[in-house]
Amino acid sequence: MTSDAELIGRSLAGDGQAFMEVICRHEVAVGAYLARRAGRAAAEDLLGDVWVAAFESRRTYDQSFAEARPWLYGVALNRLRHYWRSRPAEDLVPDVTSLANGWDPWPAVDARVDTQAVLRVAMATLRSEEREVLTLVACEDLTVADAARVLGKPAGTARRLLHQARMALRKAPEVAALLTDLNSVKETQ
Amino acid sequence: VTVDEMDLVSQLKEAAPLRPAAYERARATLRAAMAESGPARGPEMVPVPAAAPVREEGFSRARKRRGTVGTLGKVGIGAGVGAVAAAVAIVLVATSAPRSAAPAGSSTGASTGSAAQPPTATSPLMTLAAHIQASDTSPLPGNASLVIEDKKDSAGKTVEVVYALYTDSGIMYTGDDKQTLMSSITQPMNPANNETYRWAVSARNAASGDLATARLRMINTFPNCFGLGLSPTAQKKIRANCWAAGAALRREKMGDKAPTKQPTAKEVQSEIDNTLWVACDNALSWAGGDPRIREGVLRLLSTLPEVTVANSTTDGEPTLTISGGPGLFDDGSYHEVDTVDAKTGMPVSSMESGGGMAPSTQFFQFSRVTLADVKAGKF
């Protein structure tokens, strides 16, 4: 299969369909990423902006990377930051992951909600870069190196940020208690 | 298995998926942006292995095209209506902003693809273009141009009808009749793949500014092997590479093992001119409702030495007859003649004959409409 990098190269040479093919490959993943970060309604509004921003900046794409998904996440993250900045102050919440809607229609009957609530609180205490690396690796299934590409940082820096994020979560009393509960339940099963 | 903090965070993956319409809407936003930006441009021209752009069905008029270098020989001939250029080919991709172009007609320095005659202010095509520009002072009614193309054979029998709607924002819709045109409005064609749309954008660009640069842009609207805009050395190398790749492709796809001669400079120039003629002919026929596009096409056609212009009369109205001579086409017996209104440049008809084809003439009926009216069937 033709790599994303080759398709972007063709796009730069005037083949518009090539860039559309890149988009078609990653639209579900990038759409889900936006939905997790900003909620479905905002994600649906933002997705087109992300594609346009990616198209306009495709000349900066490092074609030594065959796969474009981390780069597209990076473009999406920039659009998200712009979106968050442009929102009225009263709408801002410290933990953006909590903005995702439609996760579960009956949270009261689902124990996962407790987990998520605990996590949201704990993650809100992380530095934004730590939270980004953590969610990119844990939720978007990126490697640390790819997460570094998203953030435009060296892989070593991303690794350090991930380590700090994990340590901070582990030390958070609610998360520690949750992990203890979950692991003890597993042991008794 | 021990659960850790990464497992917990991964539970945040769950999110309601975007609705299918949202993906399509986002793609449409991208298409609009791509159309707005025009053909991609870059710092230099480089040969790259690439698939030719996908050409969507029915979006360009079938015209005789030459094929030696730019289209990789006979493999490329006929890639017009309905043809999807699926074969992967080595093509030259024009990524460069046009270099400072020598005047049309010059063949020195970086080539602008022109052994073309420099147009003169007295060229009837340039004169008409200037007249259209001077007359283009008031806003047109509606927001789109509708053209109904009625193709008749030599006996006057209709053999094909095409409805094409070109909006002022640059979107095209086509249909075989009113109903299919109305239906197409919900599914606009992808501008990135649409030959006529891209040619129309280049033609509009040619309405003003440096004509040699506009000519280069029109010729390079789609990837080709001409190497226009490059140094003579680079151009020669790329043409040779393309010729070799074309020969290899013919061997592979068509079993054509006979050695072939490299095309002469004259043949290459003829192919370049053919490319320009086909592009202009399509842009004018389908998007000629836009005065800027008519201006651009007329200016571009004035650079073609094989084109002759004569005064004529059609249904009592003064017209210009623009003939594409046989030197533009592979088959010396084939020729095309476009007739335009002598005052407005609006296409009246387009005739093709020779080359073993049954003669036929397309008659154009242009009108200004609104997209909403067409969508509602009010046309």
Side-chain angles (χ1 to χ4, degrees):
Chain A
M1 187 174 73
T2 307
S3 72
D4 294 340
E6 287 176 80
L7 290 171
I8 289 170
R10 289 184 194 173
S11 165
L12 285 167
D15 181 354
Q17 184 61 26
F19 196 77
M20 290 302 296
E21 188 174 335
V22 175
I23 295 313
C24 290
R25 287 179 182 180
H26 301 293
E27 62 184 0
V28 172
V30 175
Y33 172 69
L34 290 170
R36 279 190 279 274
R37 309 306 309 277
R40 185 169 77 175
E44 291 181 344
D45 287 342
L46 288 170
L47 189 59
D49 293 344
V50 171
W51 298 151
V52 172
F55 178 73
E56 289 175 346
S57 63
R58 69 198 190 287
R59 201 172 298 284
T60 65
Y61 184 78
D62 182 347
Q63 294 188 37
S64 63
F65 291 101
E67 205 200 359
R69 186 169 299 180
W71 172 69
L72 290 170
Y73 280 147
V75 176
L77 179 58
N78 283 337
R79 296 309 301 171
L80 281 167
R81 286 172 174 154
H82 179 77
Y83 164 75
W84 290 326
R85 280 198 302 269
S86 66
R87 297 177 65 207
E90 58 267 29
D91 285 347
L92 292 174
V93 293
D95 178 7
V96 293
T97 59
S98 69
L99 291 171
N101 56 25
W103 289 12
D104 192 322
W106 300 284
V109 297
D110 193 328
R112 285 177 301 170
V113 169
D114 293 335
T115 306
Q116 289 176 358
V118 167
L119 277 173
R120 285 174 199 145
V121 171
M123 289 178 66
T125 66
L126 301 177
R127 290 167 50 205
S128 64
E129 289 181 333
E130 294 171 345
R131 188 165 55 230
E132 294 296 347
V133 175
L134 181 67
T135 53
L136 286 168
V137 173
C139 298
E140 310 302 335
D141 298 323
L142 294 188
T143 63
V144 178
D146 281 344
R149 279 182 65 198
V150 174
L151 299 172
K153 294 188 178 299
T157 303
R159 205 169 286 116
R160 176 176 56 76
L161 289 168
L162 178 63
H163 177 74
Q164 289 171 188
R166 294 186 67 171
M167 290 304 103
L169 282 187
R170 254 183 238 175
K171 289 177 183 172
E174 299 83 356
V175 176
L178 188 61
L179 287 172
T180 302
D181 286 350
L182 288 170
N183 286 318
S184 62
V185 168
K186 278 184 174 289
E187 285 170 8
T188 58
Q189 282 177 341
Chain B
V1 179
T2 302
V3 176
D4 67 10
E5 65 283 352
M6 294 298 279
D7 298 319
L8 291 181
V9 176
S10 70
Q11 291 183 21
L12 297 176
K13 270 183 174 182
E14 295 174 50
L18 272 56
R19 288 162 288 202
Y23 295 118
E24 182 48 46
R25 197 168 63 241
R27 285 186 226 120
T29 302
L30 173 61
R31 285 187 199 109
M34 291 166 84
E36 185 76 18
S37 73
R41 300 283 167 180
E44 59 185 0
M45 300 178 82
V46 290
V48 296
V54 175
R55 287 165 181 174
E56 295 180 331
E57 188 167 355
F59 296 158
S60 71
R61 300 167 66 219
R63 283 308 200 201
K64 273 275 193 183
R65 300 181 185 207
R66 293 188 64 94
T68 306
V69 174
T71 54
L72 294 180
K74 293 177 181 177
V75 174
I77 294 177
V81 172
V84 175
V88 174
I90 307 297
V91 297
L92 171 67
V93 180
T95 62
S96 77
R99 297 180 181 188
S100 67
S106 164
S107 59
T108 58
S111 170
T112 56
S114 50
Q117 301 289 340
T120 64
T122 56
S123 156
L125 297 177
M126 293 293 279
T127 302
L128 178 54
H131 179 71
I132 296 169
Q133 189 171 41
S135 308
D136 181 24
T137 53
S138 57
L140 294 169
N143 58 16
S145 293
L146 172 69
V147 56
I148 303 171
E149 180 183 309
D150 181 8
K151 182 176 181 178
K152 295 183 184 297
D153 62 17
S154 56
K157 180 184 173 188
T158 294
V159 292
E160 183 184 27
V161 175
V162 177
Y163 283 66
L165 185 69
Y166 186 81
T167 71
D168 293 346
S169 58
I171 305 297
M172 287 194 72
Y173 307 90
T174 60
D176 298 329
D177 51 30
K178 281 189 174 186
Q179 197 59 47
T180 51
L181 178 65
M182 289 161 62
S183 302
S184 77
I185 290 177
T186 58
Q187 296 176 315
M189 60 179 68
N190 179 355
N193 298 337
N194 176 354
E195 282 186 330
T196 300
Y197 172 79
R198 289 175 62 165
W199 281 327
V201 170
S202 297
R204 185 194 285 264
N205 170 266
S208 57
D210 179 68
L211 186 51
T213 303
R215 175 186 159 93
L216 181 59
R217 175 173 173 170
M218 187 62 143
I219 293 167
N220 283 342
T221 299
F222 285 96
N224 60 66
C225 293
F226 300 135
L228 302 183
L230 293 176
S231 69
T233 306
Q235 185 183 87
K236 187 177 176 183
K237 184 178 177 185
I238 281 170
R239 288 182 181 180
N241 287 345
C242 281
W243 172 81
L249 197 61
R250 283 194 297 278
R251 275 196 302 276
E252 180 188 338
K253 301 288 181 187
M254 304 167 68
D256 182 1
K257 294 178 182 173
T260 54
K261 287 194 304 180
Q262 286 205 38
T264 64
K266 185 180 176 186
E267 288 170 332
V268 173
Q269 186 57 53
S270 180
E271 191 177 344
I272 291 168
D273 288 349
N274 171 268
T275 299
L276 185 60
W277 169 268
V278 170
C280 286
D281 185 61
N282 274 274
L284 184 66
S285 300
W286 277 19
D290 182 330
R292 297 281 292 164
I293 289 171
R294 295 200 299 277
E295 290 167 42
V297 166
L298 293 170
R299 294 182 81 223
L300 290 167
L301 287 175
S302 74
T303 69
L304 287 170
E306 290 286 344
V307 167
T308 56
V309 184
N311 292 319
S312 56
T313 304
T314 304
D315 295 334
E317 296 295 325
T319 49
L320 287 186
T321 301
I322 305 168
S323 301
L328 283 174
F329 307 101
D330 277 333
D331 187 329
S333 69
Y334 179 85
H335 69 283
E336 296 180 356
V337 178
D338 290 344
T339 302
V340 302
D341 187 291
K343 293 176 184 169
T344 64
M346 198 73 89
V348 175
S349 66
S350 179
M351 184 271 293
E352 59 182 340
S353 65
M357 299 174 67
S360 64
T361 304
Q362 285 110 343
F363 294 93
F364 307 106
Q365 182 186 333
F366 277 87
S367 57
R368 290 290 296 177
V369 295
T370 67
L371 185 61
D373 280 351
V374 173
K375 196 173 181 181
K378 298 176 186 171
F379 65 104

